[in-house]
Amino acid sequence: MQTTPQNIKAKKAPHTLKSNDILYTNWGYEQTNVEFYQVVKTTNYSVWVKELKQNRVESSKHSMGGNTMPLINEFKHDAKEHMHRVRADNSIRIESFITAWLWDGKPKSYSSYA
């Protein structure tokens, strides 16, 4: 991508995430892991998130997968607040290989391996 004044301005623009927004991840190699995070605090360029519990519904067709939804305001018992800088596309990097995006309110598919 070529650097232009518009690109630089977009990178410096504050994000639009708000407290209580839900972000989700979708990652894995031989399985699809899904995690949900709730925004608990924001600044112009960063958010603090905590991981949420999930309601998983196993597929009747495939016993090793199904759909999952977040349990809003129900944090995992060991969840700690983590601060992340928000990227230009309103996503955050949970780990070097895991990105979280704004959740669209729809169930997300997961799968498990063995």
Side-chain angles (χ1 to χ4, degrees):
M1 172 187 270
Q2 182 181 3
T3 303
T4 66
Q6 291 81 11
N7 292 349
I8 293 169
K9 186 176 180 181
K11 286 183 180 181
K12 292 184 179 184
H15 63 83
T16 59
L17 297 175
K18 307 175 297 306
S19 287
N20 296 318
D21 278 349
I22 307 299
L23 304 172
Y24 77 98
T25 67
N26 184 320
W27 62 277
Y29 180 68
E30 291 181 334
Q31 65 186 36
T32 304
N33 302 297
V34 176
E35 299 149 343
F36 294 97
Y37 295 86
Q38 187 166 335
V39 175
V40 294
K41 180 181 172 184
T42 67
T43 64
N44 284 339
Y45 300 99
S46 300
V47 293
W48 282 255
V49 296
K50 284 179 77 172
E51 189 171 356
L52 292 167
K53 294 179 181 178
Q54 302 178 32
N55 180 28
R56 288 184 167 208
V57 178
E58 203 169 272
S59 171
S60 59
K61 296 178 184 176
H62 307 286
S63 63
M64 295 174 62
N67 289 316
T68 185
M69 295 277 286
L71 296 173
I72 298 169
N73 294 318
E74 291 189 36
F75 301 104
K76 291 181 85 173
H77 77 278
D78 58 349
K80 294 182 176 29
E81 289 184 16
H82 294 274
M83 190 269 296
H84 299 275
R85 187 148 178 96
V86 181
R87 296 162 42 157
D89 63 355
N90 261 357
S91 68
I92 62 173
R93 198 54 86 128
I94 301 294
E95 297 283 344
S96 63
F97 57 94
I98 303 173
T99 300
W101 297 274
L102 187 61
W103 180 52
D104 60 6
K106 297 177 182 174
K108 299 299 173 192
S109 296
Y110 73 91
S111 63
S112 57
Y113 178 74

